[in-house]
Amino acid sequence: MSTPRSSPDIQLLRQKTAYVNFSSPLTPTFVAHSSHASSSTNPTFQRKAWTKIEEGFGSRHLHDTAPFSLWDQDEYDFRGPTSNETAWISRSYNATAIDLFWPMIIIETETPPSPLPVTVGCVAALFVPPPDPSVGDREAYRPSPIQVNTNFASPRVADPIHAYELEAWKIPTYNQQEDILRALHTCMNLKAVNFVWPYIVVELHVDERVYTKHSLPGRVAGCTTVYHRSEIAFWQDMEPRPRDRLINPNSSVQDTTNYLEKSSCDLTPGVRVESAPFTDEGPYATESCTSTAGVILRNSDGQVKLTVANHGFRQSNAVFHPTTNDCRIGEITERWPAQDIALVQLDPSIRFNNSHYFEAQKPMRLLRSSDLRQSKTGKWFSVDGMSTGLLYLFLRGVRLCEARRPTSPRPIDLEHSSWLQETVFRSVGPMGGGTKDGVCGAPIVEDDEMGGVAGFFQLAGNEICLSPVLDELIDRGWALL
């Protein structure tokens, strides 16, 4: 069962943002009543977002009417459109420019279609306005490029991996990830490694070690490799682009509906949660923090807990819905800082279930990192945050970062299993203004009938979302209730 949000602000958010105005996947169905029954009734909703769903690239959104696919499944790669296909895109969307930045297609138009397709020709599509020199937009719009702040890479330095080359548009296997970590570890102090085809982005510690210009391998396992050195994580260090304000909302809205007062009286994934405006010790904090509720879990001992974003409740253990002026729903009893997850013991009067997730796919199971490695980049997921409504995400790659450890002048002996794996997603939907802040904690769910939860939303930068994998949670006996 699915149901839209009650908040009119969230329902209208995409409609007010023409360049992300894709339609709801929910279709209402009204049940006929006898003459003795009331003529008014609440509809039931059927969910359909795709006409074709693939394990990787090649899925087709419901409103993608292109009579072709720009993803070649046999070659397992993208292909450029023919002249006739280019003409079809230009004619269908009044395009002033079409740019191909795989895995996305960028369509410039003054008249974005309504509703908007999430894909065009089975490729993730981004619709943008033409450049406007009067406000400083002089060049064609580009997705956030892979830009680093060093010149350490050189194609003349030998590739440290000779046995194989990474496959295009696929997540490296566990053994390949371990090989690459060990090879890089011998000549640099690793902070994180990002596998986002066609790049490997290596994040280096800011320490006493010195790297000279063009001193590090520019190809690793046959893949272009670049290096970033900053106290700030790579994805957070990416600069916003001038036209982001036109394709994203310019104001922050939140769903402050009290769903405990609705007919079912049950809370579900995606509702608004808020921290207490004071610390447990008594001093008042400057403000409370709002985020999105995750899923209800049960462990092998029979304990039942709700997940929330750990960073949203640093000041207090008390959890409220929808605001601190309303109902306290529980208290945090366990924190997992590396995964940014806190577990909430719900108060006895509070009911929470995973039966629906507003416009996103219903969560049905937790996924391990091995499940994600078996998936392919390009696989689609959905999220419904209390400040964004529905977002679509596609799997872009993985990031391996050091587990938190005591400060040391030299890296400790590297063990792959001790590194935290985060999944890298690219989002499609209203993510501007302050809306992106409130979506943290929302479950990221496979947008198919399997409903696998890959993790919980954790903002990285611009349209990129990072989500720590759930292996440790699963290993401790937790599963969806």
Side-chain angles (χ1 to χ4, degrees), residues 346-412:
L346 293 175
D347 292 341
S349 63
I350 302 301
R351 298 188 305 182
F352 194 109
N353 68 75
N354 300 321
S355 62
H356 74 269
Y357 183 18
F358 297 110
E359 292 184 323
Q361 179 65 42
K362 179 177 72 173
M364 299 179 67
R365 62 190 179 116
L366 300 182
L367 297 177
R368 290 183 174 273
S369 59
S370 56
D371 297 320
L372 293 169
R373 282 194 298 271
Q374 292 170 6
S375 298
K376 302 177 177 68
T377 56
K379 183 178 180 65
W380 286 94
F381 293 75
S382 57
V383 165
D384 200 310
M386 67 92 181
S387 60
T388 59
L390 178 64
L391 297 174
Y392 291 105
L393 311 174
F394 65 85
L395 181 58
R396 189 66 183 88
V398 297
R399 179 178 187 260
L400 302 177
C401 59
E402 286 181 303
R404 296 181 181 180
R405 58 180 175 82
T407 303
S408 171
R410 303 289 293 178
I412 58 175

Side-chain angles (χ1 to χ4, degrees), residues 59-291:
S59 295
R60 186 182 294 276
H61 184 250
L62 185 64
H63 297 293
D64 179 355
T65 58
F68 53 83
S69 173
L70 298 179
W71 172 255
D72 188 324
Q73 188 64 35
D74 293 332
E75 295 293 329
Y76 208 78
D77 205 352
F78 296 95
R79 65 170 184 84
T82 65
S83 57
N84 287 339
E85 291 167 347
T86 300
W88 185 93
I89 296 172
S90 298
R91 182 176 61 254
S92 299
Y93 302 114
N94 297 317
T96 57
I98 302 169
D99 290 308
L100 306 174
F101 292 93
W102 308 131
M104 298 195 72
I105 181 171
I106 314 299
I107 300 175
E108 285 189 359
T109 178
E110 294 180 346
T111 55
S114 178
L116 216 71
V118 175
T119 65
V120 170
C122 302
V123 176
L126 181 63
F127 289 84
V128 300
D132 183 356
S134 67
V135 293
D137 298 337
R138 301 184 182 278
E139 298 181 354
Y141 186 92
R142 299 287 185 270
S144 295
I146 299 294
Q147 289 184 333
V148 293
N149 61 357
T150 75
N151 57 3
F152 299 154
S154 171
R156 296 186 178 183
V157 177
D159 187 333
I161 302 293
H162 307 289
Y164 54 81
E165 293 188 351
L166 296 181
E167 295 183 78
W169 308 114
K170 293 184 179 180
I171 296 175
T173 66
Y174 180 94
N175 289 337
Q176 289 172 338
Q177 292 177 18
E178 186 173 67
D179 289 345
I180 291 169
L181 284 176
R182 291 190 178 279
L184 295 176
H185 180 63
T186 62
C187 57
M188 62 194 76
N189 291 351
L190 297 175
K191 180 179 178 181
V193 180
N194 301 270
F195 297 94
V196 282
W197 183 266
Y199 295 97
I200 296 175
V201 181
V202 179
E203 300 178 50
L204 301 172
H205 274 292
V206 178
D207 54 17
E208 77 285 354
R209 189 158 188 167
V210 176
Y211 306 94
T212 59
K213 179 180 179 181
H214 298 164
S215 61
L216 299 179
R219 295 186 72 80
V220 175
C223 188
T224 301
T225 303
V226 293
Y227 301 87
H228 190 76
R229 198 180 199 192
S230 172
E231 297 289 355
I232 302 173
F234 168 70
W235 296 108
Q236 294 175 328
D237 219 9
M238 297 174 69
E239 292 293 329
R241 295 143 306 171
R243 263 177 290 170
D244 278 350
R245 68 185 185 282
L246 298 177
I247 62 174
N248 289 322
N250 58 10
S251 63
S252 177
V253 297
Q254 296 186 357
D255 181 1
T256 57
T257 304
N258 188 337
Y259 287 95
L260 292 170
E261 296 178 349
K262 295 298 179 180
S263 58
S264 69
C265 298
D266 284 7
L267 299 182
T268 62
V271 300
R272 187 184 195 270
V273 289
E274 185 170 341
S275 68
F278 47 81
T279 66
D280 290 336
E281 290 75 22
Y284 284 89
T286 57
E287 59 183 10
S288 60
C289 186
T290 62
S291 54

